[in-house]
Amino acid sequence: MENFSKLLKFLRNPHRKKIEQLKVRYQELDDLSNVAVEIEDATAYKSLQKEMREVFFDYLTAVVVDSVYKLVPHVLIIWVISLKWQSITVPIVNWQVNILAAYLLSYLIINVSQLLSNPIKSGLSKIGFPGFSRSSVVNKI
């Protein structure tokens, strides 16, 4: 079961570790570059800037590959759905909507609702709205 969990985490975000390592390395190089400026060592500064550019482009490459990796399942879902239905009809107004537009709109609505749900729930719990009250249990460390 633990191996399945690790596999699922990897499939969800396979480039996370590499991106984090590149971020840390870039930050280290930036700090070293600032030290080189403070001690006025021009050759060390130039060398660090060159390495920073290389790390930055590796970071950008990893981010782009990760973005494409996250986009592929959505393209496959749209393709499979479009094999069955080319367009859908909105019931109230009888509009024909392309399946791509419908999928993108539903994806956008789901993500925006997830972003807004936590602030709304916390706001309702602060004013004491029934069903959204705060827990009386306090977690002690």
Side-chain angles (χ1 to χ4, degrees):
M1 188 66 170
E2 187 176 315
N3 291 336
F4 181 73
S5 175
K6 288 180 182 178
L7 177 65
L8 192 58
K9 286 179 184 178
F10 174 76
L11 291 176
R12 187 170 182 194
N13 198 352
H15 302 99
R16 180 180 48 89
K17 287 183 181 179
K18 184 176 182 179
I19 290 172
E20 289 299 322
Q21 289 172 350
L22 290 170
K23 276 185 185 180
V24 168
R25 180 68 181 144
Y26 186 82
Q27 186 62 40
E28 290 172 358
L29 291 171
D30 189 39
D31 293 340
L32 289 172
S33 178
N34 290 337
V35 170
V37 168
E38 289 175 6
I39 63 172
E40 299 175 1
D41 188 359
T43 57
Y45 178 77
K46 287 180 184 178
S47 174
L48 288 168
Q49 289 297 312
K50 181 181 176 187
E51 192 171 349
M52 280 177 67
R53 281 191 297 272
E54 292 173 4
V55 171
F56 181 71
F57 284 118
D58 289 342
Y59 171 75
L60 284 179
T61 303
V63 168
V64 168
V65 168
D66 192 48
S67 299
V68 168
Y69 183 82
K70 289 180 181 179
L71 183 65
V72 167
H74 296 286
V75 171
L76 291 174
I77 290 169
I78 291 171
W79 176 69
V80 168
I81 292 173
S82 68
L83 289 176
K84 177 71 175 168
W85 300 285
Q86 295 295 320
S87 62
I88 59 172
T89 304
V90 179
I92 296 173
V93 290
N94 289 330
W95 289 347
Q96 290 276 326
V97 179
N98 188 349
I99 197 67
L100 176 64
Y103 183 84
L104 291 175
L105 184 63
S106 64
Y107 182 77
L108 181 69
I109 288 171
I110 289 169
N111 283 326
V112 168
S113 65
Q114 286 176 348
L115 286 173
L116 295 176
S117 67
N118 288 335
I120 291 172
K121 286 179 183 178
S122 67
L124 291 175
S125 70
K126 286 180 183 176
I127 62 173
F129 199 75
F132 294 98
S133 62
R134 291 184 180 173
S135 175
S136 61
V137 176
V138 177
N139 293 332
K140 294 184 179 182
I141 298 176

